[in-house]
Amino acid sequence: FGAPVGGVLFALEEASTYFPPKMMWRALFCAIIATLSVQLLNPNKSKKFVVFEVTYHHQWMLVEVVFFALVGVVGGMAGATFNTYNPRVVARRKGSALMKAWPITEVMLVTLLTCVIDFPFALMRLSNSDFLALLFSDCSVRDAKTDASLCSTAFSDQVAIFLVGCACAKLFLAIISNGLKVPGGIFVPSLIIGALLGRAMGVVIQTLHRGLGDVGAFAVCTSSSASCFDPAIYAIVGSAAMLAGVTRMTVSIVVIM
């Protein structure tokens, strides 16, 4: 994310119980050196050291704070769902003699189930970084990261349903996958699930504005010739909300995102 201060706050808020001031300065210095080293080495060959870099050409409005709060509630509930059911799955996995005896078989079965769920949909087959970049893409700027299906206004209701369905599928897979005998984490999956839910909410709000016109809460759009609501902004808000719901972090997520 290219946020050394956010990395230090993450370690302070999530990973440690004792963090003296001198260690904080050392951690900040190491994080800055690491950021500069990655920028110099350019491992992604893209001349960008931020993997999930986003540039928006849309200015959010004050009325959207209410909608952002709704996205935060949805993301928090999704995070609570993960935190409720994943420990139960892990506990049952630890208590099962069959799963203890056949851990590789369990991984293969979960992998097969993931392929069965993801493969029918082209967007679900993308890598996590590409999928997240697509969800964060701005429809007003058509480039290689923009997908026409996500920006369709004629079938916006179907787009919203598809996004919610993908979020539910990803949440289910995250619940059963986290804790397998393979290296992995919940950070990026949380971002993707939240981005799916947030973008779906943005599409719904955009569709309501298009159907109702500049009335009520949408009256502030009368002076704007462009679309007042950008689903991509709701995607990044949803990512932060879901990540906060899963990790219970607050300040570090604000700095990182």
Side-chain angles (χ1 to χ4, degrees), residues 14-253:
E14 181 72 10
S16 63
T17 55
Y18 176 68
F19 211 82
K22 64 177 182 179
M23 183 61 68
M24 185 181 301
W25 285 109
R26 293 172 182 174
L28 178 60
F29 176 77
C30 292
I32 293 174
I33 295 300
T35 301
L36 295 176
S37 299
V38 170
Q39 187 176 18
L40 179 64
L41 296 174
N42 189 24
N44 297 322
K45 307 302 179 184
S46 60
K47 296 182 180 180
K48 296 179 180 179
F49 69 99
V50 180
V51 178
F52 307 114
E53 183 175 350
V54 180
T55 302
Y56 289 122
H57 304 274
H58 176 85
Q59 181 65 38
W60 62 274
M61 297 171 295
L62 187 60
V63 69
E64 292 186 276
V65 173
V66 177
F67 301 138
F68 292 158
L70 291 176
V71 175
V73 171
V74 173
M77 292 176 63
T81 301
F82 175 85
N83 289 336
T84 299
Y85 290 102
N86 178 252
R88 297 181 184 180
V89 173
V90 174
R92 177 164 296 187
R93 180 179 291 136
K94 289 182 178 179
S96 173
L98 183 62
M99 293 182 180
K100 286 182 179 179
W102 302 91
I104 298 179
T105 304
E106 182 191 11
V107 172
M108 293 177 64
L109 290 175
V110 173
T111 302
L112 178 62
L113 179 61
T114 303
C115 293
V116 170
I117 294 176
D118 288 353
F119 190 78
F121 308 101
L123 296 181
M124 297 279 279
R125 294 199 298 264
L126 295 174
S127 65
N128 286 337
S129 57
D130 291 340
F131 196 14
L132 197 59
L134 194 64
L135 293 172
F136 287 167
S137 62
D138 189 351
C139 289
S140 63
V141 181
R142 296 301 179 93
D143 54 21
K145 295 182 179 180
T146 308
D147 187 87
S149 61
L150 293 181
C151 298
S152 174
T153 57
F155 304 98
S156 55
D157 53 342
Q158 299 179 20
V159 172
I161 294 173
F162 172 74
L163 291 173
V164 172
C166 289
C168 293
K170 288 290 188 182
L171 179 59
F172 170 73
L173 293 175
I175 290 174
I176 65 174
S177 300
N178 193 52
L180 287 174
K181 298 297 190 295
V182 291
I186 193 58
F187 203 91
V188 175
S190 297
L191 294 177
I192 292 177
I193 296 169
L196 286 165
L197 294 173
R199 187 159 190 125
M201 180 75 75
V203 171
V204 170
I205 294 171
Q206 194 179 53
T207 303
L208 287 175
H209 172 234
R210 192 179 300 110
L212 298 176
D214 300 330
V215 296
F218 303 131
V220 294
C221 297
T222 54
S223 60
S224 175
S225 59
S227 177
C228 283
F229 305 99
D230 187 359
I233 294 180
Y234 289 84
I236 196 168
V237 173
S239 289
M242 177 67 185
L243 192 58
V246 171
T247 63
R248 298 294 191 267
M249 294 188 302
T250 54
V251 179
S252 57
I253 289 182

